[in-house]
Amino acid sequence: MSKKDSAGVAQILAYLNEKNRPFSAQDVFTNLQKQCGLGKTAVVKAMEQLAQEGKIKEKVYGKQKIYFADQSQFADVSDAELKNMDARITELSAGVQSISQSCRQLDAELKELNSSLTTVEMKTQIQELQAESSGYKERLDKIKSATNHVTPEERQKVYKERETYVKEWRKRKRMVTDMVGAILEGYPKSKKQFLEEAGIETDEDHKVTMPNI
C-alpha cells in the first residue's frame, strides 16, 4: 500500500471515529474527497480493509453496506447523560433558530439602510432645502409686501409652489428623523451627542418653524 493510500485509510478511520455515525462508502468518498484525495474504488477498499481488521464495523442492508466506528472503544453513556445531551441539543437548536431569525432581521434592516441616504447626503440635502426655502420665503415676503404688482393668478401660483415646498420640507424632515431614529437604536450616546458629532443642524438650531400649508 502506498503512503497516500495508508494516509487515506488513517483519515477514513479518524473520520468515522470522530463522527461516530453510520456512513456508506459513497458518503465517506463525498465528504473526504478533498482531504484524502482517494478515488471511490480506493475508499471502498480502505473501508473493507478497516472492517476486516476489526477497526470499524460493517452492516449489510440488501445491496448496501454501512460502516461505523467500533463502539467498544467508547465509554458507556448512562441514560441520564443521554437525556442531558438531548436537552442540551434542544437548547442549542433553539438558540441557533433565534440567532438565525435575528440575523435575517438585521440583514433586512441593513439592506434598507444601505438603500437610504447616507448621513453626509442627508446633511447636504437639508442645507440645500433650507437655503432654497429661505430664498422662496424672501421672495414670498416681497410679493406679499408689494401692492398692485401681482395678479391673482401669479399669487395663486406662488401659494401652490409654497405648498409644494412645505410638503417636501415635511417629507424630507420625516425621512431624516426616521433615519436618525434608526441609527440611534444602536448608538451608545444620546441623540444630542449624535447630532453634534454628525454635524447635523436642525430647524430648532436655526429657530426655523415649518409653516402650515
Side-chain angles (χ1 to χ4, degrees):
M1 183 180 294
S2 66
K3 290 183 178 180
K4 178 181 178 181
D5 290 341
S6 298
V9 171
Q11 282 183 307
I12 291 172
L13 177 59
Y15 179 75
L16 291 175
N17 287 335
E18 177 189 355
K19 299 302 181 183
N20 193 21
R21 50 160 292 187
F23 289 102
S24 67
Q26 178 64 45
D27 293 332
V28 174
F29 167 69
T30 301
N31 297 341
L32 294 182
Q33 187 174 14
K34 292 183 179 180
Q35 290 92 320
C36 65
L38 296 178
K40 184 176 179 180
T41 301
V43 170
V44 172
K45 289 182 178 179
M47 297 182 73
E48 289 178 346
Q49 175 188 331
L50 288 170
Q52 291 173 0
E53 294 174 353
K55 295 180 180 179
I56 63 174
K57 297 298 181 181
E58 175 187 275
K59 290 287 183 181
V60 180
Y61 296 95
K63 296 182 179 180
Q64 187 175 23
K65 291 182 179 180
I66 299 298
Y67 301 89
F68 53 92
D70 181 7
Q71 300 301 299
S72 63
Q73 65 182 308
F74 302 114
D76 292 335
V77 181
S78 66
D79 291 341
E81 289 176 309
L82 289 174
K83 289 181 179 179
N84 287 336
M85 284 189 281
D86 286 339
R88 181 59 176 162
I89 290 172
T90 301
E91 179 185 351
L92 291 174
S93 297
V96 169
Q97 185 175 1
S98 176
I99 292 173
S100 297
Q101 184 176 355
S102 297
C103 286
R104 288 193 295 270
Q105 182 178 353
L106 290 173
D107 284 339
E109 292 177 1
L110 179 60
K111 184 177 180 181
E112 182 179 353
L113 288 173
N114 286 336
S115 64
S116 303
L117 295 174
T118 65
T119 302
V120 174
E121 290 171 337
M122 286 190 292
K123 283 179 58 180
T124 301
Q125 286 205 3
I126 289 172
Q127 292 173 351
E128 291 175 352
L129 286 171
Q130 286 176 339
E132 192 174 357
S133 177
S134 297
Y136 279 106
K137 184 176 182 299
E138 182 180 353
R139 179 184 171 191
L140 182 61
D141 290 340
K142 290 181 179 179
I143 293 173
K144 285 182 176 180
S145 63
T147 58
N148 300 324
H149 295 294
V150 179
T151 65
E153 291 78 12
E154 290 175 330
R155 184 167 56 250
Q156 185 64 26
K157 179 182 177 182
V158 169
Y159 278 113
K160 284 185 177 180
E161 288 181 350
R162 174 181 180 272
E163 180 178 350
T164 298
Y165 284 106
V166 171
K167 285 182 178 179
E168 187 65 17
W169 185 355
R170 182 174 290 111
K171 175 184 175 182
R172 301 280 181 160
K173 184 172 183 178
R174 182 169 60 251
M175 288 174 59
V176 173
T177 301
D178 292 343
M179 182 61 66
V180 170
I183 294 173
L184 287 176
E185 290 181 0
Y187 190 75
K189 301 179 182 179
S190 67
K191 178 179 179 180
K192 181 179 179 181
Q193 290 173 306
F194 169 74
L195 294 177
E196 290 177 353
E197 292 181 3
I200 298 175
E201 298 177 349
T202 64
D203 293 343
E204 290 75 18
D205 293 334
H206 293 276
K207 296 181 174 55
V208 176
T209 303
M210 184 181 301
N212 295 324
I213 297 176

